Amino acid sequence: MVRLVINKRVLQKVSPIALGYLVLGLACGMLGQKAHMNPLETTAMSILAYAGSSQFIGIAMMLQGASFFSIGLTVLIVNLRCALFSSTLAPFFSAWKRSALAGFAHGITDETFAVNLQSFNKENNPPWTTQEAITLNILGCLVWSISNGVGCFAAEYLNLNISLVSYILTAMFLGIWSNYLVNRKMIITGLSAGVLSILLSMVVPYKLHIVLASLCCSSLATYLVIKHERSDEDE
């Protein structure tokens, strides 16, 4: 049985994520209410799908009258990045059973992946543990799901401008990315992905330009780093 650990550093690391999820979750719930979803449905969607950007895209497509096949395919493509996240973190969970691994993988998002990966690679004393990692995931999921349900329930009383969501999401990602500003490779990769994403946004719909730009730049950066390391070994 996996033991959850709620300590000071878990709370410190989850706080910026939870703050962003709280506001974004309220907005997502309000958007779900516009798509004629009730609080129970939005909460269930948040727990079962648990894919913030994909939920926004899926609900937006529902409002546009898109077919279930189109919605499902789009959400699947957007969430394919989670397979890369899971495979990257898998070596840290080699002692875990598959059932526990499935539960952890379900809770991986862009934000929790970035924080957990940095925490595992950082020289912490004591080291970042797998129990702390899954606790971080679960706390993030709880905040997101509850805020979705509350947002849907309170949609008739709250007047949140949905257009603010994009700015909040950007601010949250910048806060997480700032942890890597000491790494020149990460800075160059991030800036390149941002520029490419802006260019692709002119031709690629449904926010897929973000995924494509991230995959292209991160793959190229990985290739160049591996090539450079191999050339150093040959010398």
Side-chain angles (χ1 to χ4, degrees):
M1 183 176 179
V2 178
R3 181 172 61 90
L4 302 182
V5 177
I6 301 178
N7 53 31
K8 182 178 179 180
R9 63 178 181 176
V10 169
L11 294 177
Q12 286 177 337
K13 291 178 183 296
V14 79
S15 294
I17 297 175
L19 183 61
Y21 282 5
L22 177 63
V23 179
L24 290 170
L26 289 171
C28 188
M30 295 175 69
L31 191 63
Q33 193 269 345
K34 291 185 177 181
H36 307 292
M37 298 175 67
N38 59 46
L40 181 60
E41 290 171 339
T42 55
T43 303
M45 181 183 184
S46 301
I47 296 174
L48 297 176
Y50 189 39
S53 57
S54 297
Q55 285 180 235
F56 276 105
I57 294 171
I59 295 174
M61 293 179 70
M62 290 170 59
L63 289 170
Q64 296 172 3
S67 66
F68 286 116
F69 176 78
S70 299
I71 296 172
L73 182 60
T74 302
V75 170
L76 174 63
I77 293 174
V78 173
N79 284 346
L80 283 178
R81 69 192 188 284
C82 293
L84 298 176
F85 296 163
S86 301
S87 61
T88 302
L89 292 174
F92 300 105
F93 296 83
S94 56
W96 280 32
K97 295 181 179 179
R98 291 186 177 181
S99 56
L101 281 174
F104 175 78
H106 176 74
I108 293 177
T109 62
D110 302 78
E111 298 79 21
T112 58
F113 166 75
V115 172
N116 276 324
L117 182 62
Q118 183 204 26
S119 300
F120 278 124
N121 290 329
K122 191 175 181 180
E123 294 182 359
N124 293 305
N125 187 22
W128 185 249
T129 66
T130 54
Q131 288 77 18
E132 288 174 313
I134 196 169
T135 303
L136 181 81
N137 285 11
I138 290 175
L139 290 177
C141 184
L142 283 175
V143 173
W144 174 257
S145 303
I146 292 173
S147 60
N148 266 250
V150 172
C152 184
F153 177 78
E156 296 182 3
Y157 310 101
L158 296 177
N159 186 23
L160 178 65
N161 189 344
I162 301 299
S163 63
L164 293 175
V165 172
S166 58
Y167 296 98
I168 298 169
L169 188 62
T170 301
M172 183 170 58
F173 275 116
L174 286 175
I176 294 173
W177 186 52
S178 64
N179 294 317
Y180 297 95
L181 292 181
V182 295
N183 188 317
R184 186 173 63 179
K185 298 185 184 70
M186 291 295 295
I187 294 174
I188 296 174
T189 303
L191 292 176
S192 300
V195 173
L196 181 59
S197 176
I198 293 173
L199 295 176
L200 290 176
S201 66
M202 303 176 185
V203 293
V204 180
Y206 300 125
K207 307 297 182 182
L208 293 178
H209 58 279
I210 300 175
V211 179
L212 293 176
S214 300
L215 286 174
C216 291
C217 293
S218 58
S219 298
L220 179 59
T222 302
Y223 169 76
L224 292 175
V225 169
I226 293 175
K227 183 179 179 180
H228 184 265
E229 290 176 351
R230 287 178 178 175
S231 62
D232 289 342
E233 291 176 358
D234 294 337
E235 293 178 358

